[in-house]
Amino acid sequence: MTGEPKVRTVLGDIDPAELGVTNAHDHLFFASKLLPGQELDDPAEAAHTLLEFKSRGGAALVQWTPYGLTRRTRELAWMSEEVGVHLVAATGLHRAEHYAPVILSRVIDDLVREFVADLTEGTQPADLPDEPRTGPRAGLVKVAGAFHTIDSHARLTMTAAAVAHEETGAPIAVHLELGTAALEVAELLCGKLDVPPDKVILGHLNRNPDPRLQREIAETGVFLGFDGPSRANHATDPQLFDGIEALVEAGHGGQILLGGDTTTAAARNQPGAAYLLTTLAPRLAKQLGGDVVTAMLVANPARAFATSWRK
């Protein structure tokens, strides 16, 4: 790689030190056919959520909404400028079940080209594939594993993500279905496809709260996403704190990223992105110390989402 590492936001590349307190995984916009009636597609509500996040001390939010799921990157750019919060958008592809066949068929045969164009030229709505790429550039590639395995769709998208990383330097963020198949994903991306571990972020590790497994995953060197803290039915709140504490004590605190993944509050009757700062971070600070938690919110995401961009 050449050049100084930068975080690619919807308003342009910034120095990692400018990122500040970061929600490392959330969604201001997200609409999937799997979630009828729960679409996140209201710019006014998203702006309100972002304002609330900022009022609680938030400075940056990374939206993990990939291609074809209503990521609304132009609205992200507008909100970032108006509200004064750094936003990072995603390219990539989620699990196949999230897509209508007509959307998937447009890109499935040339994923690398789509990912690289989103990262280097600009984004466009999935339902307007012939429109010029006038949307802001994405700053990461988001892909997804399957439940306890890497199915053919996941293997295809992860392989394309690895090639896109090789061409651009972009970080790769992975949705782990209920927190499973993390070791398999790390082995594929880092072992077989030669993506550096510090360019891989595995999300939803708190949804599979096995301390021995989490320690083994950490030893691969990837970044560890602990997100969705408000979803008690996913065994997150009850075991999240001890799991993070064990990883910190084992020397892996520098790999931990904290995110809400709580989405827009009105859409899903959840507390919203600010929950990360109003509830989770203070509780963690009591257990681990404020400096440790600040590193998870500031220093760790500054490293995870920065890269020396090749294009």
Side-chain angles (χ1 to χ4, degrees):
M1 292 186 184
T2 58
E4 293 296 320
K6 300 288 184 181
V7 177
R8 183 154 290 175
T9 77
V10 294
L11 296 182
D13 294 354
I14 65 171
D15 189 283
E18 298 178 39
L19 202 61
V21 174
T22 301
N23 181 334
H25 179 177
D26 227 311
H27 301 274
L28 294 170
F29 299 107
F30 186 103
S32 165
K33 74 171 195 172
L34 287 187
L35 302 170
Q38 297 186 27
E39 294 83 1
L40 306 178
D41 198 18
D42 184 338
E45 181 62 35
H48 175 78
T49 295
L50 198 61
L51 279 166
E52 176 68 12
F53 175 68
K54 182 182 180 182
S55 74
R56 301 296 185 172
L61 184 147
V62 183
Q63 172 164 285
W64 285 34
T65 305
Y67 174 90
L69 294 178
T70 316
R71 53 189 171 175
R72 282 189 175 269
T73 57
R74 290 179 178 84
E75 282 83 354
L76 290 181
W78 172 83
M79 286 191 294
S80 178
E81 188 166 17
E82 290 296 315
V83 177
V85 172
H86 298 299
L87 294 175
V88 179
T91 184
L93 216 61
H94 214 306
R95 293 185 298 130
E97 292 86 348
H98 281 281
Y99 297 96
V102 65
I103 295 295
L104 201 58
S105 65
R106 286 177 185 157
V107 293
I108 201 68
D109 292 330
D110 201 359
L111 290 179
V112 173
R113 184 198 64 79
E114 184 67 33
F115 295 172
V116 171
D118 275 351
L119 292 161
T120 63
E121 299 174 27
T123 50
Q124 62 185 177
D127 57 348
L128 298 172
D130 297 324
E131 181 177 308
R133 291 183 174 273
T134 56
R137 294 180 295 181
L140 73 152
V141 184
K142 190 280 188 62
V143 290
F147 186 50
H148 282 293
T149 190
I150 300 175
D151 61 12
S152 59
H153 176 83
R155 190 172 299 275
L156 178 66
T157 59
M158 289 181 195
T159 301
V163 177
H165 162 79
E166 177 62 28
E167 292 191 16
T168 66
I172 299 173
V174 184
H175 163 97
L176 299 175
E177 185 64 11
L178 295 182
T180 63
L183 285 176
E184 291 85 348
V185 168
E187 171 58 24
L188 174 62
L189 287 175
C190 305
K192 296 181 180 178
L193 298 174
D194 296 324
V195 180
D198 65 353
K199 294 303 173 203
V200 174
I201 303 156
L202 300 185
H204 303 318
L205 287 175
N206 47 303
R207 296 187 186 180
N208 186 19
D210 178 336
R212 289 193 180 94
L213 179 60
Q214 289 179 351
R215 172 77 174 269
E216 193 173 352
I217 296 163
E219 289 171 353
T220 69
V222 301
F223 279 98
L224 313 167
F226 286 81
D227 38 52
S230 66
R231 301 182 182 188
N233 62 314
H234 283 163
T236 54
D237 277 349
Q239 301 178 58
L240 174 69
F241 300 92
D242 290 344
I244 290 179
E245 183 176 37
L247 288 169
V248 170
E249 290 178 349
H252 298 293
Q255 296 166 247
I256 296 174
L257 300 174
L258 300 176
D261 196 33
T262 49
T263 65
T264 306
R268 295 192 187 175
N269 195 29
Q270 294 182 23
Y275 180 91
L276 174 67
L277 304 180
T278 62
T279 304
L280 178 64
R283 290 179 64 192
L284 277 171
K286 287 182 180 179
Q287 185 164 344
L288 303 175
D291 290 346
V292 174
V293 177
T294 297
M296 294 177 189
L297 291 170
V298 180
N300 294 1
R303 294 197 317 277
F305 296 107
T307 194
S308 296
W309 291 91
R310 298 186 179 97
K311 294 183 179 179

